[in-house]
């Protein structure tokens, strides 16, 4: 429980700093989350996968105990490790759980060395017939002809690259790419929400790779964009990064003037709201849910934009090869809001919201159905897939909740929230099915259906989202400072002890313990 007399978010942050020091002291019962020791499980998996086991039955089987060792280590991290930084404290649990899920996807549900392939590029040469534009005049000057010449041109070809036998550097690159490609862009397990590759003219693409010729941009059914050229990707990325930065600054200023976001659940409505809104419980709750959604959406928006900016626009093909091409770095993580209007709650979670975890959820759903011998397209199969996905999402966020420093409820908060989203999808789907059978939907115009979807989604989230966002607030997530320099706080719009430089508490620090195993980089 937070002390009742903390007057600013900075004071709350300092309180959590003291709590972290107490919990990670010799008598506190927890250990600090430290690098490089926190990466021991990942190093074990990486080391194993760098050995080619495709022709050795024992080494192939060994992936199961290696994965089990990772599960044990990451479970230990969740149960015993603490981080000081608000975002890092949540990340200890969420990323530990995600590491288990992704390794399970690559090593248990699949055997990545045998089952996965990625798009790679090789150079070639082609011959084109072109007119040289030279005028060949006859002796009397009465006729001219254009003489054709053969020009040798560079032509690139894409192909599917399996796990490379050699050299070692190629294996390291391939494995590192597996563990960074959560949406599977350019991999055989690429998720369905990624649009076709907008292939440049000098690129030869086999039919096995979904692509579109003579298009500068392709768009998926959910609204994800994929640019062909860096000249198109760069302006879009820079503009969105600037918009996201300014939006985050505004959101943080609003949060700093509302003690609810510091962790006080019974805090009065912020004084900047009109008096009529302050007096309405529903209006205040809706406002806080809206700001919470904006905070989550915009923070992830900014983080996700950094990928294309860094890999495609800064490093580029010169350093990363085909991974640095604009067409290998889709511009968006979020889909179009039309998914929500057209498909309701299913469209919210399956189209509009980010799909960074989708591959792992889908692969585990398919694996579960195979083990249970359930037809994936049957009603039972669809229900099982739905709840496997939401259960896994609940596990991720519950683990993040558990490792926070504040007073959180992992099972009754995040886990219950995500399971209720699955229930909401089922209720809406069944209702729509019954209305179709009754012939009601045929009489409703498209706009009417979209309004109904909009209302249902937001009413459902009004009643269920507090399970998640209240837990974020109590755990300290909203104390995270996403911007280093705040224009609005420099102008005096922040809390009374805010300044223009927001990373006063630091991001990482060196911790010197009594032994080598409790010394390292802390977050």
């Amino acid at each position: 429980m937070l002390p009742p007399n903390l007057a600013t978010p900075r004071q709350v942050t300092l309180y959590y700093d003291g709590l972290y020091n107490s919990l990670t002291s010799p008598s506190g019962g927890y250990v600090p989350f430290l690098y490089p020791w926190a990466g021991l499980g990942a190093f074990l998996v990486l080391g194993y996968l760098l050995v080619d086991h495709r022709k050795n039955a024992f080494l192939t089987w060994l992936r199961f105990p290696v994965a089990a060792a990772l599960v044990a280590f990451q479970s230990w991290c969740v149960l015993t490790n603490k981080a000081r930084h608000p975002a890092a404290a949540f990340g200890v649990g969420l990323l530990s759980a995600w590491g288990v899920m992704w390794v399970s996807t690559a090593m248990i549900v699949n055997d990545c060395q045998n089952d996965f392939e990625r798009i790679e590029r090789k150079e070639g040469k082609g011959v084109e017939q072109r007119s040289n534009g030279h005028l060949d005049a006859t002796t009397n000057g009465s006729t001219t002809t254009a003489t054709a010449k053969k020009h040798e041109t560079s032509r690139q070809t894409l192909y599917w690259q399996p796990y490379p036998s050699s050299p070692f550097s190629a294996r390291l690159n391939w494995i590192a790419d597996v563990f960074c490609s959560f949406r599977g862009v350019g991999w055989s397990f690429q998720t369905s929400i990624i649009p076709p590759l907008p292939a440049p003219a000098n690129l030869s693409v086999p039919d096995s790779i979904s692509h579109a010729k003579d298009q500068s941009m392709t768009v998926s059914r959910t609204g994800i964009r994929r640019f062909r050229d860096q000249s198109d990707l760069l302006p879009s990325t820079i503009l969105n990064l600037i918009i996201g930065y300014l939006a985050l600054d505004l959101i943080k200023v609003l949060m700093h003037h509302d003690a609810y976001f510091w962790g006080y659940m019974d805090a009065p409505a912020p004084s900047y709201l009109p008096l009529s809104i302050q007096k309405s419980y529903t209006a205040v709750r809706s406002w806080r849910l809206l700001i919470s959604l904006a905070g989550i959406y915009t923070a992830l928006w900014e983080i996700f934009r950094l990928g294309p900016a860094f890999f495609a626009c800064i490093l580029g093909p010169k350093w990363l090869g085909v991974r640095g091409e604009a067409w290998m770095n889709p511009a968006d993580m979020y889909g179009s809001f039309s998914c929500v209007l057209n498909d309701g709650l299913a469209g919210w979670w399956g189209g509009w919201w980010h799909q960074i975890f989708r591959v792992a959820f889908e692969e585990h759903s398919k694996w579960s159905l195979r083990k249970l011998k359930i037809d994936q397209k049957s009603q039972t199969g669809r229900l099982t897939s739905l709840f496997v996905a939401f259960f896994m999402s609940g596990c991720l966020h519950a683990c993040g909740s558990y490792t926070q420093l504040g007073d959180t409820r992992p099972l009754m908060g995040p886990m219950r929230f995500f399971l209720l989203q699955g229930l909401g999808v089922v209720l809406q789907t069944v209702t729509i099915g019954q209305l179709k059978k009754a012939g009601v939907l045929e009489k409703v115009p498209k706009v009417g259906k979209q309004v109904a979807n909009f209302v249902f989604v937001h009413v459902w989230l009004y009643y269920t989202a507090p399970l998640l966002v209240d837990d974020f607030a109590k755990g300290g997530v909203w104390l995270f400072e996403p911007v280093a320099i705040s224009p609005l706080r420099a102008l005096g719009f922040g809390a009374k002890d805010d300044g223009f430089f927001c990373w006063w508490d630091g991001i990482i620090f060196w911790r010197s313990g009594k032994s080598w195993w409790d010394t390292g980089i802390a977050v």
Side-chain angles (χ1 to χ4, degrees):
M1 289 282 296
L2 284 176
N5 58 343
L6 302 179
T8 66
R10 178 175 288 200
Q11 291 181 16
V12 177
T13 300
L14 290 174
Y15 165 77
Y16 280 129
D17 284 356
L19 181 60
Y20 165 81
N21 292 330
S22 175
L23 291 173
T24 56
S25 67
S27 60
Y30 291 91
V31 297
F33 186 78
L34 299 173
Y35 286 106
W37 319 122
L40 288 179
F43 298 147
L44 172 65
V45 171
L46 179 63
Y48 166 74
L49 289 176
L50 286 174
V51 178
D52 190 345
H53 62 241
R54 289 174 295 178
K55 296 180 180 180
N56 187 303
F58 173 74
L59 289 178
T60 300
W61 170 85
L62 196 61
R63 73 185 195 273
F64 297 110
V66 168
L70 175 87
V71 171
F73 180 79
Q74 299 304 130
S75 298
W76 176 81
C77 286
V78 171
L79 294 173
T80 65
N81 282 222
K82 292 294 181 183
R84 185 188 71 174
H85 194 270
F90 183 78
V92 168
L94 184 138
L95 294 179
S96 293
W98 174 243
V100 169
M101 291 181 186
W102 191 245
V103 167
S104 175
T105 301
M107 293 175 57
I108 304 300
V109 176
N110 298 282
D111 177 3
C112 64
Q113 288 192 6
N114 285 299
D115 300 333
F116 291 171
E117 293 180 320
R118 69 172 181 173
I119 292 175
E120 194 49 87
R121 177 173 56 191
K122 59 184 177 182
E123 299 286 342
K125 292 183 178 181
V127 175
E128 293 183 0
Q129 292 280 359
R130 292 183 180 176
S131 170
N132 65 359
H134 176 69
L135 298 180
D136 285 341
T138 62
T139 52
N140 62 7
S142 60
T143 62
T144 60
T145 61
T147 304
K149 284 189 175 181
K150 290 184 177 180
H151 293 266
E152 196 175 69
T153 62
S154 174
R155 187 163 183 82
Q156 302 167 339
T157 301
L158 295 185
Y159 67 96
W160 287 110
Q161 181 194 39
Y163 180 83
S165 301
S166 60
F168 176 81
S169 59
R171 293 203 303 272
L172 179 61
N173 182 286
W174 197 92
I175 290 299
D177 196 17
V178 166
F179 283 94
C180 294
S181 301
F182 301 141
R183 292 191 299 171
V185 178
W187 283 85
S188 54
F189 55 87
Q190 178 174 292
T191 182
S192 59
I193 56 97
I194 301 298
L197 186 156
N202 68 331
L203 192 66
S204 177
V205 185
D207 292 338
S208 59
I209 299 175
S210 177
H211 65 283
K213 285 284 190 180
D214 302 322
Q215 292 187 30
S216 60
M217 179 184 73
T218 54
V219 183
S220 73
R221 57 181 175 79
T222 62
I224 304 294
R225 298 172 301 162
R226 194 172 184 179
F227 291 109
R228 183 184 64 195
D229 303 315
Q230 189 191 79
S231 59
D232 294 320
L233 176 64
L234 182 60
S236 173
T237 301
I238 291 177
L239 176 62
N240 281 287
L241 282 172
I242 293 173
I243 292 173
Y245 190 95
L246 297 176
L248 279 175
D249 190 27
L250 173 60
I251 292 166
K252 283 299 297 181
V253 167
L254 294 174
M255 287 181 171
H256 276 202
H257 288 284
D258 186 351
Y260 162 82
F261 292 101
W262 316 346
Y264 291 106
M265 295 296 99
D266 57 351
S271 58
Y272 59 75
L273 290 177
L275 190 59
S276 58
I277 294 181
Q278 291 185 43
K279 293 181 177 180
S280 170
Y281 171 83
T282 301
V284 172
R285 178 169 173 165
S286 299
W287 171 255
R288 285 169 170 166
L289 288 174
L290 182 63
I291 295 300
S292 299
L293 173 62
I296 299 168
Y297 183 96
T298 311
L300 294 177
W301 162 294
E302 195 75 351
I303 292 170
F304 293 152
R305 297 280 175 183
L306 292 175
F310 183 71
F311 295 117
C313 301
I314 295 179
L315 295 180
K318 179 180 178 180
W319 295 100
L320 299 179
V322 71
R323 313 292 142 202
E325 294 285 0
W327 38 269
M328 285 292 284
N329 291 270
D332 305 309
M333 281 284 189
Y334 290 103
S336 168
F337 196 75
S338 63
C339 296
V340 180
L341 299 178
N342 295 328
D343 299 314
L345 195 61
W348 176 290
W349 293 114
W352 178 63
W353 199 247
H354 77 82
Q355 305 294 300
I356 196 72
F357 304 130
R358 182 169 183 146
V359 171
F361 294 171
E362 287 183 344
E363 289 297 310
H364 282 85
S365 297
K366 294 175 184 176
W367 180 83
S368 300
L369 294 176
R370 287 197 302 268
K371 294 298 180 181
L372 295 171
K373 298 181 179 179
I374 298 174
D375 182 6
Q376 185 178 345
K377 296 181 180 180
S378 68
Q379 187 177 46
T380 303
R382 290 196 295 269
L383 280 173
T384 302
S385 297
L386 178 71
F387 280 100
V388 165
F390 280 114
F391 174 74
M392 291 180 68
S393 187
C395 288
L396 285 173
H397 294 83
C399 288
S401 172
Y402 182 84
T403 55
Q404 291 181 95
L405 295 172
D407 184 21
T408 59
R409 299 193 304 163
L411 296 180
M412 297 305 293
M415 177 60 82
R416 187 159 53 133
F417 167 76
F418 282 103
L419 292 178
L420 284 172
Q421 301 317 298
L423 177 61
V425 171
V426 172
L427 289 176
Q428 188 177 24
T429 302
V430 170
T431 302
I432 290 174
Q434 293 301 314
L435 291 174
K436 282 183 178 179
K437 287 182 179 180
V440 175
L441 288 187
E442 297 176 0
K443 303 174 184 178
V444 180
K446 182 178 180 180
V447 174
K449 297 174 185 176
Q450 291 180 330
V451 170
N453 280 329
F454 182 90
V455 170
F456 175 83
V457 167
H458 291 86
V459 169
W460 188 264
L461 290 174
Y462 173 85
Y463 286 105
T464 61
L467 295 170
L468 180 67
V469 298
D470 286 359
D471 201 75
F472 282 170
K474 289 186 289 186
V477 165
W478 304 127
L479 299 172
F480 167 58
E481 284 290 356
V483 300
I485 297 174
S486 168
L488 289 176
R489 279 170 271 189
L491 294 172
F493 290 106
K496 61 182 180 181
D497 56 358
D498 278 346
F500 79 97
F501 184 73
C502 306
W503 289 353
W504 57 272
D505 198 37
I507 301 297
I508 61 175
F509 62 97
W510 180 261
R511 181 185 176 101
S512 297
K514 294 182 178 180
S515 306
W516 60 268
W517 59 80
D518 61 354
T519 298
I521 300 172
V523 291

